[in-house]
Amino acid sequence: MARPRPAHYSGAQKALHWTIAALVLAMVGIGLTMTAIGEGAARNALYEIHKSIGVIVLSLTVVRLALRWRRGAPPLVAGLPGWQRAAAHASHLALYALLVAVPLVGWSGVSACCPPVNLFWTVPVTLPVGGGIEAAKPILAVHDVLALSLAAVVAIHIAAALHHHLGRRDETLRRMLPGSAAGQRQEVDVPHRAGRA
Ligand code: HEM
Ligand code: HEM
């Protein structure tokens, strides 16, 4: 039997959504910059920061998926055409898959070519992937393609969120905002309140 769905996103789900969103947007910028600028200390530092934040994004995503699994998510707002419902489910699934695949593939690539992989120059977090630079090249090429795919899906996702907020003027964006009560009305304990009246 299907599990009942929550009426709203929890505070933890919202906090993870916006923290991961900010980090991923920063990561795309850092990734494109570090691969474009010339060799030197700045480039090396950007690589170290990119790898470290990437491993953190993967860890936060694992926590987020566990929460999503245990708690579920509120149903999409009512009244959406079937194709928009399908597009929303497919894009959320793609975002979750890419949030795991992009950092995991990048981490595997650098573990193969360039151990040790450290968290901010300190804690070693190298994965047991061998093969050296020859194995790493195709792995990192896949990382680049997946990262650009993630950026593209995120752009569509942001456009959809703005369409809901500014075009349809529904609760979709509001219910993802911190402290928002949007979407919680379904949780009101009507019989209890009626009894007190
Ligand atoms: C959500 C997490 C991540 C995002 C959004 C991301 C994004 C990107 C982007 C946009 C690029 C540039 C692609 C290009 O120039 O075409 C890049 C390159 C790179 N990333 Fe990531 N990345 C993530 C996680 C990681 C992790 C965890 C590692 C390693 C621990 C990593 C290692 C690298 C490396 C080594 C490159 C350079 C690859 C090359 O020279 O072709 N990335 N990343
Ligand atoms: C890298 C950036 C982002 C990523 C990876 C991302 C990822 C996701 C994912 C996976 C979900 C599905 C949540 C679930 O049902 O479990 C979601 C929901 C949502 N996101 Fe994002 N997001 C990003 C940025 C943004 C931005 C910038 C906005 C606003 C402009 C936004 C607005 C929303 C809204 C409103 C929902 C809730 C949709 C609903 O309840 O039907 N997201 N996001």
Side-chain angles (χ1 to χ4, degrees), residues 96-169:
Y96 279 131
L98 288 166
L99 283 176
V100 173
V102 170
L104 192 56
V105 172
W107 191 4
S108 307
V110 284
S111 296
C113 75
C114 326
V117 181
N118 291 326
L119 263 188
F120 296 107
W121 294 272
T122 51
V123 186
V125 289
T126 314
L127 292 176
V129 180
I133 188 74
E134 287 315 312
K137 275 185 193 160
I139 298 176
L140 289 175
V142 170
H143 173 70
D144 292 354
V145 172
L146 292 179
L148 298 178
S149 311
L150 173 59
V153 182
V154 165
I156 295 168
H157 177 69
I158 293 174
L162 293 179
H163 166 71
H164 278 280
H165 194 64
L166 304 173
R168 294 179 56 93
R169 294 175 180 275

Side-chain angles (χ1 to χ4, degrees), residues 5 9 13 17-18 20-25 64 68 72-77 80 88 91-96 99 150 154 157-159 161-162 164 171-177:
R5 311 203 39 183
Y9 289 106
Q13 283 177 308
H17 174 271
W18 294 112
I20 290 173
L23 292 178
V24 166
L25 292 175
R64 182 172 173 186
R68 178 70 167 78
L76 297 175
V77 292
L80 291 181
S91 60
H92 291 170
L93 193 64
L95 286 168
Y96 279 131
L99 283 176
L150 173 59
V154 165
H157 177 69
I158 293 174
L162 293 179
H164 278 280
E171 297 289 283
T172 302
L173 179 57
R174 264 191 296 273
R175 71 184 190 171
M176 188 48 104
L177 295 179

Side-chain angles (χ1 to χ4, degrees), residues 27 31 34-35 47 50-51 54-55 57 102-103 106-107 110 143-144 147:
M27 284 293 283
M34 74 192 192
T35 50
Y47 264 89
H50 182 85
K51 290 185 281 179
V55 171
V57 167
V102 170
W107 191 4
V110 284
H143 173 70
D144 292 354

